[in-house]
Amino acid sequence: MIVLGEKASYVKCRWKCEAGLSANRCWYYRQHLKEVSEEELFTSGHRGCAGCGNVITVRLVLKASGKNVVVVSPTGCTEVISTPYPETSWEVPWIHANFENAGAVASGISDAVKVLLRKGKIKSKPKVIAIAGDGGTVDIGFQSLSGAMERGHDMLYICVDNEAYMNTGVQRSGATPYGAYTTTSPLGQDTPKKDMPAIMAAHRIPYVATATISLPLDFIEKVKKAISIEGASYIHVLAPCPTGWGFPGEKTIELGRLAVDAGMWTLYEILNGEFRVTYKPTAKVPVKEYLKAQKRFAHLSEETIKKIQEDIDKRWAEAFR
Amino acid sequence: MKIVLEPGTSLKNKTGGWRNFKPVIEMKKCIDCGNCWIFCPESCIRKIGNKYEIDLDYCKGCGICANECPTKAIETVLEEK
């Protein structure tokens, strides 16, 4: 008989049964994982850190989308690790945009595709996907993204959120959570995290979702849904970063799960204005467990942790009413 | 400056040299759940039928596969060179 570790209880199927069945008991989890494409469109040999959450995100996106895509990446970890000249890790068409204009470049390509289709120069319509970091989405690329979403181009924008500018050496961004240490917030961030998915939902686009790499089936399903929808869609993915957050590389997936179970990150989707929570944690984990697993929160006092917990309790009650 | 025309050329950069610990799979304990394969950031775990194989040319030894294995079939051992 196989003895399960404690961690196994985390591996759950969110598709049909929704019961807390572990991987070796749940037939559906394994079955659905087998349906995921085996094709690797993001090859080995990239320069990501050991245990990089960003690369897992890109892999899962490409597994969901398949080959018929054009990918746009602004400056950031994704660009730096995947394309050191003259090499590339991408097996799909990829273009590098400036830090501030991933939205604009993607909307331009999406319109160009429309014209080429009309003139009959291409047969099938590729989906335009922008994969940007949180700096290129929440801070620097915000205006061009907002414009692209408001104009409603047929594109999917994915924000890979590692909660700071990791590529340049951990500087604070608008997505850095309250209390987190970065090199430019040495005493801990004193402002709350910007709620980017809510801002995108306010643009009244057809599809907005949040996801994490720790629940791959949920994430892949959301990407597939977003691709099938005509019009602008936005997915915000939490991707833990071992280097910037300060935890050993093997804990990347565990940290993503802890964030969801502790209520630091809620998984939901808004399809045509209809809000739906896609995953409700079976047991609530105290936020202290999540914070203490990372070096960037190591300096927090008990009072601050209590404050964060109270804030989460409030949001938890709102989300899982 | 020329454009890079060939896809996936980073394959020539063998990142296996970054590794301190290497993962070893014990096939007897494997239940074919696919967790190690879906979570590997280096895409270096290959599915062959219901067996899994690690490409040590590219494995950076992060240990995600060992940590995520529900049956502890993957172990990380110190790499000896």
Side-chain angles (χ1 to χ4, degrees):
Chain A
M1 204 192 113
I2 294 152
V3 183
L4 288 167
E6 271 177 25
K7 265 176 234 131
S9 64
Y10 279 116
V11 187
K12 287 166 201 153
C13 170
R14 337 264 167 224
W15 285 59
K16 285 181 185 166
C17 44
E18 279 191 55
L21 293 170
S22 17
N24 66 338
R25 304 259 177 78
C26 180
W27 187 78
Y28 291 118
Y29 180 84
R30 278 198 265 171
Q31 214 54 29
H32 286 299
L33 217 48
K34 285 208 174 91
E35 283 165 19
V36 177
S37 157
E38 277 184 45
E39 205 177 7
E40 300 291 354
L41 295 172
F42 193 81
T43 55
S44 317
H46 57 76
R47 266 68 158 182
C49 308
C52 178
N54 200 324
V55 180
I56 302 175
T57 318
V58 174
R59 258 190 91 212
L60 292 177
V61 170
L62 292 181
K63 274 185 191 303
S65 69
K67 254 193 151 146
N68 197 16
V69 287
V70 178
V71 180
V72 181
S73 282
T75 307
C77 274
T78 319
E79 176 254 330
V80 169
I81 61 183
S82 67
T83 53
Y85 186 77
E87 288 167 23
T88 174
S89 295
W90 301 86
E91 299 259 355
V92 293
W94 178 86
I95 184 169
H96 173 218
N98 286 344
F99 218 146
E100 69 284 357
N101 58 13
V105 171
S107 50
I109 295 173
S110 142
D111 271 3
V113 164
K114 231 196 271 172
V115 173
L116 287 175
L117 265 179
R118 197 178 62 219
K119 290 187 175 171
K121 298 222 165 143
I122 47 172
K123 297 236 159 52
S124 67
K125 183 181 179 188
K127 185 80 185 182
V128 182
I129 303 180
I131 302 178
D134 58 298
T137 306
V138 175
D139 300 343
I140 301 175
F142 184 72
Q143 51 87 17
S144 80
L145 168 64
S146 181
M149 292 290 135
E150 171 261 314
R151 290 190 300 270
H153 294 278
D154 185 17
M155 61 181 267
L156 163 62
Y157 195 100
I158 292 168
C159 171
V160 186
D161 187 2
N162 49 21
E163 305 194 322
Y165 290 85
M166 298 310 181
N167 160 42
T168 47
V170 200
Q171 285 87 20
R172 79 172 276 281
S173 78
T176 308
Y178 178 80
Y181 161 89
T182 64
T183 50
T184 46
S185 62
L187 300 175
Q189 173 89 325
D190 48 7
T191 51
K193 187 183 169 100
K194 194 193 269 186
D195 194 354
M196 195 63 186
I199 299 172
M200 284 299 115
H203 285 71
R204 315 256 168 189
I205 53 176
Y207 192 70
V208 176
T210 60
T212 169
I213 51 168
S214 306
L215 301 173
L217 290 178
D218 175 78
F219 179 33
I220 287 173
E221 191 196 36
K222 280 170 182 165
V223 173
K224 279 189 173 160
K225 208 181 258 181
I227 284 175
S228 69
I229 289 168
E230 188 95 1
S233 39
Y234 177 86
I235 299 179
H236 200 106
V237 193
L238 184 74
C241 167
T243 316
W245 295 15
F247 61 86
E250 75 252 26
K251 301 250 186 252
T252 306
I253 305 299
E254 214 179 309
L255 254 287
R257 268 192 312 248
L258 261 179
V260 175
D261 284 349
M264 285 291 272
W265 193 242
T266 323
L267 302 183
Y268 60 83
E269 63 178 12
I270 304 170
L271 181 61
N272 296 324
E274 225 172 277
F275 180 92
R276 185 173 80 91
V277 173
T278 51
Y279 169 59
K280 187 181 183 222
T282 39
K284 194 178 175 189
V285 175
V287 77
K288 200 175 172 184
E289 239 172 83
Y290 171 72
L291 299 178
K292 285 296 165 201
Q294 303 165 51
K295 218 163 133 195
R296 60 175 179 157
F297 290 117
H299 63 282
L300 291 187
S301 64
E302 287 295 324
E303 268 169 57
T304 326
I305 293 176
K306 217 175 137 195
K307 202 177 149 197
I308 296 174
Q309 181 70 59
E310 274 166 18
D311 186 45
I312 284 176
D313 288 345
K314 222 193 301 169
R315 271 188 289 147
W316 182 285
E318 255 170 52
F320 302 119
R321 244 187 320 217
Chain B
M1 193 108 160
K2 288 177 190 161
I3 341 164
V4 182
L5 290 171
E6 245 176 81
T9 44
S10 70
L11 276 175
K12 67 179 165 207
N13 177 39
K14 303 233 182 302
T15 48
W18 297 23
R19 185 173 65 233
N20 284 331
F21 291 90
K22 73 169 178 190
V24 179
I25 306 182
E26 201 182 315
M27 246 12 221
K28 235 192 242 167
K29 283 191 195 167
C30 180
I31 53 165
D32 186 21
C33 69
N35 260 2
C36 55
W37 164 76
I38 195 91
F39 288 134
C40 178
E42 307 311 316
S43 17
C44 69
I45 298 184
R46 309 253 151 78
K47 260 202 238 183
I48 300 158
N50 56 0
K51 295 255 175 353
Y52 294 84
E53 208 180 74
I54 299 170
D55 189 347
L56 290 176
D57 277 353
Y58 298 104
C59 173
K60 288 175 188 161
C62 64
I64 286 180
C65 49
N67 201 55
E68 291 311 309
C69 183
T71 60
K72 301 263 177 292
I74 304 179
E75 227 185 320
T76 45
V77 294
L78 189 66
E79 175 100 48
E80 282 171 41
K81 278 166 193 159

